[in-house]
Structure formats: structure tokens, C-alpha cells
Amino acid sequence: DQQVKQNSPSLSVQEGRISILNCDYTNSMFDYFLWYKKYPAEGPTFLISISSIKDKNEDGRFTVFLNKSAKHLSLHIVPSQPGDSAVYFCAATAGTASKLTFGTGTRLQVTL
Amino acid sequence: DGGITQSPKYLFRKEGQNVTLSCEQNLNHDAMYWYRQDPGQGLRLIYYSQIVNDFQKGDIAEGYSVSREKKESFPLTVTSAQKNPTAFYLCASSSNSALHFGNGTRLTVT
């Protein structure tokens, strides 16, 4: 049972445009959500997070939006840069910020 | 430099052999985790440990074992009972806000 879903396995965006990565979850107990970025043969690195008491969190070019009623969150990258090309994982946790459930990832390619 | 060290980066074993993957952290984190990454399946939790001398099974613990004798170390043994051991293994530790990952070990069993 996949509790965190990233339905788009890949996304291609032109440099300078907005990248929107989506994530859906089914467990209503999840209250903290994170996005990780992963390059090949490396471990994921933490990008941005959001608590369920908020609906938006912004950090530079990265913004995460949370729609609790729809059990949906999205990561916006504006403007997209070639260095953003990576696999992005959505993750969620309930009650503790440590035992995370991950989505299957979306591979973002930013083209010139 | 504070961080998580996984070694080796690549590991090859014959089927039927047990193999131990190393994970060391100097971040002074209490909690440590082992995840496995397979194509199209994201990251799945194998085992985790919230404190020294204690650990719990994750979602896919069958065929694996761990120990947590020291705060800094959380080795993972892939036993011959694990049916599909070839994968990319990631170790992580946490400070209650987010997981910090090592660079992984790619295990190939033939």
C-alpha cells in the first residue's frame, strides 16, 4: 500500500521556467512533509519541509504548497536551473519527524 | 566535517553469502536508519534505531539484521535469506527535524 505517491515518474522543463512536482498521500495522520533531492549514486539531500499547520513554505527558489483537504502537496521551483536536474522524493511522517515514508520519486530534467 | 559515512561504495557478493554494510555518523544523532532504493519503488525502510542497544523493524526487514552497540555505528547485515539483495542501500541519521543521508552502498549479488 503506497501511502505517499508521486504519479509522474519524470518531468522535463526548460531553463528559467517553473517546475512543479506533485505528491499525494493517503494517511490522514501525516502531519509533516519533506522534499529531498537526489543525484545518481549519492544520498538524498533535504530540500524543504512543511508542517500541516501551514499551507505554504518558501525558501529561495523553492516553495512547497500543502492542501490538506486534498491530501496533496507540490514543490515549485522558480526559475528552474540545469543544476536542479535530479530525482525529487516527497516524504511524510506522522507524529515524529524521523520515521519517514517516501514516494517513488520524480526525475526532473531541466533543459537549456 | 560532520556527516554520515557508508562504506564501501560498491560491493559484490556471491549468492548465499552474508554481507555487512557499514554506516558511521559523527553528527551525535540518536536515531539511525537503513533504507533500500530500487528503481520505481522509492526508498523503503529496512530497520531503524532510536537509541543505542535498541532497534525496530521497518517495512521490509525480512532477510536483514542490524546492531546498535555504539551511537556512531549502525551496521546492516544482508543475509542469504534476503531474496532480492541487489539494491542501493542508504543509511541515515536524524536530529528530529530531517533525515541526513550517507552516499549509499550499491550491493550486487550474483
Side-chain angles (χ1 to χ4, degrees):
Chain A
D1 175 33
Q2 192 75 26
Q3 295 187 66
V4 178
K5 300 177 187 178
Q6 294 176 256
N7 291 319
S8 298
S10 63
L11 175 68
S12 183
V13 172
Q14 209 167 17
E15 182 181 9
R17 301 284 187 110
I18 184 170
S19 295
I20 301 176
L21 293 91
N22 294 303
C23 178
D24 297 294
Y25 62 96
T26 57
N27 188 340
S28 56
M29 299 299 291
F30 287 148
D31 59 2
Y32 191 67
F33 304 88
L34 306 90
W35 284 94
Y36 282 82
K37 175 179 177 179
K38 185 181 181 301
Y39 293 116
E42 293 183 10
T45 54
F46 170 71
L47 202 54
I48 192 169
S49 63
I50 188 166
S51 163
S52 60
I53 62 173
K54 293 186 173 183
D55 53 20
K56 177 182 173 182
N57 189 26
E58 197 170 346
D59 183 2
R61 295 186 298 114
F62 302 93
T63 303
V64 56
F65 294 92
L66 176 62
N67 182 334
K68 287 190 292 293
S69 60
K71 293 192 178 68
H72 176 83
L73 62 154
S74 60
L75 174 68
H76 292 210
I77 306 173
V78 181
S80 301
Q81 299 173 352
D84 296 329
S85 297
V87 177
Y88 289 79
F89 289 100
C90 169
T93 185
T96 171
S98 301
K99 187 170 174 288
L100 300 180
T101 300
F102 284 85
T104 52
T106 296
R107 181 177 303 277
L108 172 66
Q109 179 156 13
V110 179
T111 58
L112 297 172
Chain B
D1 256 28
I4 300 172
T5 302
Q6 290 187 244
S7 60
K9 193 165 181 66
Y10 299 96
L11 194 53
F12 298 89
R13 280 294 183 272
K14 296 282 189 193
E15 198 174 317
Q17 293 179 333
N18 290 357
V19 59
T20 298
L21 282 60
S22 167
C23 178
E24 304 280 330
Q25 56 104 355
N26 60 5
L27 299 168
N28 201 34
H29 289 167
D30 285 316
M32 296 186 74
Y33 306 79
W34 275 104
Y35 283 86
R36 166 181 172 143
Q37 185 189 7
D38 295 282
Q41 295 211 49
L43 303 176
R44 293 183 291 164
L45 182 64
I46 304 172
Y47 265 100
Y48 64 105
S49 167
Q50 303 278 38
I51 199 167
V52 174
N53 291 323
D54 188 45
F55 48 82
Q56 283 82 40
K57 293 182 179 180
D59 301 318
I60 54 164
E62 187 176 344
Y64 299 98
S65 66
V66 293
S67 62
R68 187 85 189 279
E69 296 175 6
K70 298 187 302 182
K71 189 175 186 177
E72 301 80 18
S73 179
F74 190 41
L76 173 74
T77 297
V78 184
T79 75
S80 56
Q82 167 48 233
K83 290 186 171 56
N84 296 298
T86 294
F88 188 55
Y89 290 88
L90 286 158
C91 178
S93 67
S94 90
S95 59
N96 279 339
S97 56
L99 292 182
H100 303 266
F101 284 89
N103 278 331
T105 292
R106 181 164 297 283
L107 172 65
T108 302
V109 177
T110 55

